[in-house]
Amino acid sequence: MPVEFLGIATTSDASETTDRTTAPFDKQYLERIVRAHEDNGWTRVLFAYGSSGPEPSALAAWTAARLDSIELLLAHRPNVSYPTFAAKSFATLDQLSEGRLSVHFITGGNDHEQRREGDTLTKDERYARTQEYIQIVKKAWSSAEPFDHHGSFYDLDDFVLDTKPFEGRTPTISFGGSSDAAFKVGAAEADIYAVWGEPLDRTAEQILRVRTEAAAAGRTTPPRIHAAFRPIIGATEELAWEKAHGILDRIEARKAAAGGVLSRRHPIDKPENAGSQRLLEIAAQGDRFDSALWTATAKATGGAGNSNALVGTPETVAQALLAYYDLGVRIISARGYDLLDDATDFGRYVIPIVREEVAKRDAGAASGQAA
């Protein structure tokens, strides 16, 4: 099965290592970074969501009007709109982009961040709400007749969506999380299940959990698996590791300058969400795993989001990614620290190697089936 690659769309060049050099909201930079992904072999880009950030669906619509082929992954939190409104917003954006939209549902793992926008539910309640929300969105997309819904979180009568997604398609739904509630909901409802990059054995455990929960939910086809990493590549192994340690120094310097805090949304110590707790637990066991996984960046950022790195030459990083592919990972998220240059370099030097090797695997599998 072909492998897909997910990058990031953003309105400034700030990262954990880099103070912003662009305007706070720079639409020209947004177009530049998405075009760098489109021109260098990436499949889609993520429009992320944060309580204080720009509204991602507007950014995605603006981008769709300017670029022709890159796919759009829209992050969405169910607490910010009613599911019928979301269903029509997604369908409208899918029409505008001519079928390039996917939606990533974020339940929210940090109580304080959720309360910034008035969400006071507990974590388990949020996951239950997300499941009901996704079910309503799916029904709105597919139902030709008006329908009623009376659930635990939403009540509606006689709703029908006249504007359906492009050419009758159903936009892909992705979902992530490492808690028990997350696995149950995501495995039951999502087309893609997203995990953060962990050592191979831990990733295999998560894939098995997703497949087990999907089977328990009565699904014959489980979600595809998406794994996220921070690539750090160099022309030689020595240069790659020199670059990696320089990145770590820059993270620590920014953290020190900000009084030990990198983000208002994520604490360095004792994060609430299970995914970050897992990353910190792994980092406490060592800095290096398998052929190229490096956990020092996760430790330095408190396991904030996608924060484990893959370090090495393009060939080393590509082979590391192929090991995840062999486990069952089909979508690879890769976001560097110097956003624009790293998107270009990863697209030029790593993606072709991975795609070529995956094509060989697929051809070998096809030959075996024919025999």
Side-chain angles (χ1 to χ4, degrees):
M1 180 182 292
V3 63
E4 300 175 357
F5 294 91
L6 171 68
I8 190 73
T10 180
T11 56
S12 83
D13 62 351
S15 75
E16 298 95 327
T17 63
T18 307
D19 288 322
R20 174 176 49 79
T21 65
T22 62
F25 186 100
D26 191 328
K27 62 185 181 182
Q28 283 74 34
Y29 182 82
L30 172 63
E31 182 171 351
R32 284 181 66 203
I33 194 166
V34 178
R35 193 172 297 282
H37 286 84
E38 184 175 73
D39 291 345
N40 288 284
W42 297 75
T43 311
R44 64 181 61 87
V45 289
L46 169 68
F47 295 84
Y49 189 93
S51 61
S52 59
E55 203 287 299
S57 66
L59 300 181
W62 189 87
T63 302
R66 285 159 177 76
L67 291 100
D68 298 326
S69 61
I70 194 79
E71 297 179 22
L72 317 169
L73 178 59
L74 178 66
H76 181 76
R77 285 185 187 167
N79 61 293
V80 299
S81 70
Y82 212 72
T84 50
F85 177 81
K88 72 177 71 177
S89 297
F90 302 151
T92 302
L93 183 51
D94 197 54
Q95 286 285 349
L96 290 171
S97 65
E98 298 185 336
R100 287 186 278 157
L101 180 70
S102 299
V103 183
H104 181 70
F105 286 92
I106 302 173
T107 297
N110 182 300
D111 290 345
H112 184 66
E113 168 68 6
Q114 294 302 120
R115 284 195 295 270
R116 287 192 168 111
E117 295 187 286
D119 188 6
T120 59
L121 297 184
T122 66
K123 186 174 181 179
D124 284 348
E125 288 171 336
R126 292 198 296 267
Y127 275 109
R129 178 184 61 190
T130 298
Q131 183 164 26
E132 187 175 332
Y133 196 101
I134 292 173
Q135 290 169 348
I136 294 170
V137 168
K138 286 179 178 178
K139 192 164 187 178
W141 285 342
S142 63
S143 179
E145 301 297 329
F147 66 91
D148 303 337
H149 176 90
H150 304 291
S152 300
F153 300 93
Y154 303 103
D155 281 287
L156 55 102
D157 295 298
D158 199 39
F159 180 77
V160 66
L161 185 61
D162 292 331
T163 300
K164 295 289 196 288
F166 185 69
E167 294 185 346
R169 70 188 289 269
T170 299
T172 299
I173 289 174
S174 72
F175 186 95
S178 298
S179 67
D180 290 341
F183 282 118
K184 289 182 183 298
V185 173
E189 303 295 343
D191 303 299
I192 295 170
Y193 199 99
V195 299
W196 289 330
E198 296 184 2
L200 289 166
D201 59 344
R202 300 289 291 267
T203 301
E205 292 171 3
Q206 293 201 85
I207 293 172
L208 178 60
R209 179 70 186 274
V210 171
R211 291 173 176 172
T212 300
E213 295 289 355
R219 298 183 64 173
T220 56
T221 302
R224 290 182 292 154
I225 302 297
H226 158 178
F229 304 92
R230 306 299 292 270
I232 302 174
I233 59 175
T236 66
E237 296 294 324
E238 292 77 12
L239 288 173
W241 282 103
E242 181 180 332
K243 180 178 178 181
H245 287 290
I247 284 169
L248 184 60
D249 289 344
R250 289 160 66 191
I251 292 173
E252 295 292 357
R254 287 203 74 199
K255 193 166 63 174
V261 177
L262 281 173
S263 169
R264 288 183 300 167
R265 288 191 288 160
H266 188 89
I268 295 295
D269 299 316
K270 299 180 180 179
E272 294 177 33
N273 61 306
S276 294
Q277 292 168 9
R278 287 176 64 95
L279 295 188
L280 291 180
E281 176 192 341
I282 293 165
Q285 298 170 13
D287 284 350
R288 297 179 67 169
F289 294 83
D290 305 319
S291 62
L293 190 73
W294 191 47
T295 66
T297 44
K299 184 176 181 179
T301 59
N306 167 22
S307 51
N308 272 342
L310 291 175
V311 183
T313 64
E315 292 78 11
T316 296
V317 172
Q319 290 303 319
L321 291 172
L322 287 163
Y324 287 95
Y325 179 88
D326 292 338
L327 286 180
V329 172
R330 293 296 178 265
I331 299 99
I332 294 165
S333 172
R335 174 167 57 96
Y337 291 94
D338 296 302
L339 300 178
L340 187 61
D341 290 343
D342 287 347
T344 301
D345 288 347
F346 187 87
R348 287 178 178 173
Y349 304 120
V350 178
I351 288 178
I353 299 173
V354 176
R355 284 216 166 105
E356 181 180 356
E357 291 300 319
V358 166
K360 290 178 183 177
R361 284 162 165 74
D362 289 347
S367 297
Q369 290 174 357

